[in-house]
């Protein structure tokens, strides 16, 4: 007869756990590694800004250090933060933000409509492009701030002059990126679809739009800041509301800290809008290969 030997295991331990027990090793998920790398990248990006602000604050006499920067001329970081909090807590600035945002976004919408339409038209009409492109280059070379007084005189100090100047400032990046994107479409791809019998609408939907969409979005990202600058310049020249009006009033009363606070708020709006466009780009162009995966 065969006899079996019975092994005694500690309480809570089975035969399988006794034979297959392996030391646990710490495992890091890919998203944890990417998150840590992202934090490191943000820290590296913010380090120069933190150093500049620290030197700026110390130079204006902080921490009982003799000042070598005149705060009345360049402001003081701590005072700028206080001005930002004062503007936001009072709530009066939100109406001015809305006015500037409305002017810039309406102008951007007009620039998108005109820039994309003209870019497509000239890309499919070489003879028209030869006639029109020199004039586009001439108007693009004109400084927007020099045209602002004319827009104020022609269209008044209301909403229309700000919208048109914002549209003019945002038009050219969208037009040039659209035109360049259509010029860069691979002719072999177009010929292949033509051989397969694709009609004009199928070519537009399956070849032209996917190829030019990334260029148009890149132009929109550039035009966002240009539209805000155009609206701000028009408000600065002549208006009764908006961030440009507040900036002009702060500079007129030599309130340097408040002027810096308004510029910081304007820059924050621009960064937020750019982030929104990047999110939209990632969604619309989700079929495109990620450069990190190439």
């Amino acid at each position: 007869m065969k006899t079996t030997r019975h092994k005694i295991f500690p309480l809570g331990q089975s035969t399988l756990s006794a034979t297959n027990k392996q030391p646990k090793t710490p495992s890091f998920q890919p998203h944890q590694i990417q998150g840590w790398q992202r934090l490191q990248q943000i820290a590296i990006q913010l380090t120069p800004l933190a150093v500049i602000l620290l030197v700026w604050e110390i130079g204006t006499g902080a921490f009982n250090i003799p000042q070598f920067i005149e705060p009345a001329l360049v402001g003081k970081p701590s005072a700028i933060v206080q001005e930002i909090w004062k503007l936001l807590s009072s709530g009066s600035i939100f109406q001015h933000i809305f006015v500037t945002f409305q002017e810039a976004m309406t102008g951007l919408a007009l620039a998108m409509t005109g820039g994309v339409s003209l870019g497509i038209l000239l890309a499919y009409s070489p003879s028209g492009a030869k006639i029109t492109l020199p004039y586009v280059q001439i108007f693009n070379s004109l400084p927007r701030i020099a045209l602002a007084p004319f827009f104020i005189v022609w269209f008044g100090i209301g909403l229309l002059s700000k919208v048109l100047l914002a549209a003019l400032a945002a038009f050219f990046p969208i037009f040039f990126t659209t035109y360049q994107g259509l010029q860069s479409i691979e002719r072999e791809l177009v010929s292949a679809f033509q051989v397969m019998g694709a009609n004009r609408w199928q070519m537009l939907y399956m070849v032209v739009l996917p190829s030019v969409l990334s260029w148009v979005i890149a132009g929109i990202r550039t035009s966002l800041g240009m539209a805000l600058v155009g609206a701000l310049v028009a408000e600065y020249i002549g208006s009764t509301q908006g961030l440009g009006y507040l900036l002009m009033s702060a500079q007129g009363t030599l309130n340097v800290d408040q002027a810096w606070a308004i510029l910081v708020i304007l820059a924050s709006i621009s960064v937020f809008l750019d982030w929104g466009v990047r999110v939209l780009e990632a969604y619309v162009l989700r079929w495109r290969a990620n450069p990190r995966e190439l």
Side-chain angles (χ1 to χ4, degrees):
M1 296 180 61
K2 294 183 179 179
T3 60
T4 58
R5 297 180 180 178
H6 298 279
K7 294 184 179 180
I8 300 176
F9 299 98
L11 184 62
Q13 183 177 356
S14 62
T15 307
L16 183 62
S17 63
T19 55
N20 297 334
K21 185 176 180 181
Q22 297 179 352
K24 294 182 179 180
T25 58
S27 60
F28 297 95
Q29 299 296 331
H31 67 274
Q32 293 177 343
I33 298 176
Q34 292 178 359
W36 175 247
Q37 291 177 347
R38 181 59 179 166
L39 289 176
Q40 287 181 325
Q41 181 181 359
I42 294 175
I44 294 173
Q45 290 174 342
L46 293 179
T47 297
L49 177 61
V51 172
I52 292 174
L53 292 177
L54 181 61
V55 174
W56 187 0
E57 182 72 19
I58 293 175
T60 55
F63 310 112
N64 296 324
I65 298 176
Q67 69 177 31
F68 54 88
I69 299 176
E70 179 55 51
L73 297 178
V74 298
K76 188 175 182 179
S78 58
I80 294 172
V81 173
Q82 292 176 1
E83 286 290 340
I84 293 174
W85 173 252
K86 187 186 301 183
L87 290 171
L88 296 178
S89 60
S90 64
S92 60
I93 195 174
F94 292 107
Q95 177 63 27
H96 297 281
I97 291 175
F98 174 76
V99 171
T100 303
F101 180 82
Q102 181 185 18
E103 295 165 353
M105 292 303 101
T106 307
L108 181 64
L110 291 177
M112 288 172 56
T113 304
V116 173
S117 301
L118 185 62
I120 294 175
L121 180 64
L122 295 186
Y124 283 94
S125 177
S127 58
K130 292 179 180 179
I131 299 173
T132 308
L133 281 179
Y135 293 98
V136 175
Q137 295 284 358
I138 292 173
F139 280 105
N140 185 35
S141 63
L142 296 177
R144 312 298 181 264
I145 191 171
L147 297 175
F150 294 99
F151 277 67
I152 298 298
V153 172
W154 295 337
F155 306 106
I157 63 172
L159 180 67
L160 181 60
S161 59
K162 282 75 173 178
V163 169
L164 292 179
L165 190 61
L168 180 65
F171 168 81
F172 296 101
I174 296 177
F175 164 74
F176 284 117
T177 52
T178 302
Y179 182 75
Q180 185 64 33
L182 289 170
Q183 293 292 319
S184 65
I185 295 177
E186 297 181 1
R187 303 304 175 189
E188 294 80 4
L189 182 63
V190 175
S191 301
F193 273 84
Q194 290 175 344
V195 168
M196 290 186 289
N199 56 34
R200 178 169 298 183
W201 291 108
Q202 289 174 334
M203 291 286 295
L204 179 65
Y205 177 74
M206 301 177 66
V207 179
V208 175
L209 289 181
S211 299
V212 79
L213 193 56
S214 60
W215 290 81
V216 172
I217 293 178
I220 292 174
R221 289 186 62 184
T222 305
S223 297
L224 272 174
M226 302 297 292
L228 285 172
V229 170
L232 193 73
V233 168
E235 291 173 352
Y236 195 89
I237 297 298
S239 65
T240 57
Q241 53 185 348
L243 293 178
Y245 168 74
L246 285 183
L247 183 61
M248 180 187 62
S249 300
Q251 293 178 347
T253 57
L254 299 180
N255 193 341
V256 180
D257 295 322
Q258 188 180 65
W260 274 112
I262 296 170
L263 291 177
V264 170
I265 293 173
L266 183 66
S268 302
I269 295 173
S270 180
V271 171
F272 176 76
L273 291 176
D274 182 75
W275 172 81
V277 174
R278 285 191 285 113
V279 172
L280 179 64
E281 180 183 14
Y283 176 77
V284 174
L285 302 178
R286 57 188 181 275
W287 50 266
R288 187 177 59 180
N290 190 348
R292 297 179 180 178
E293 298 175 358
L294 296 178

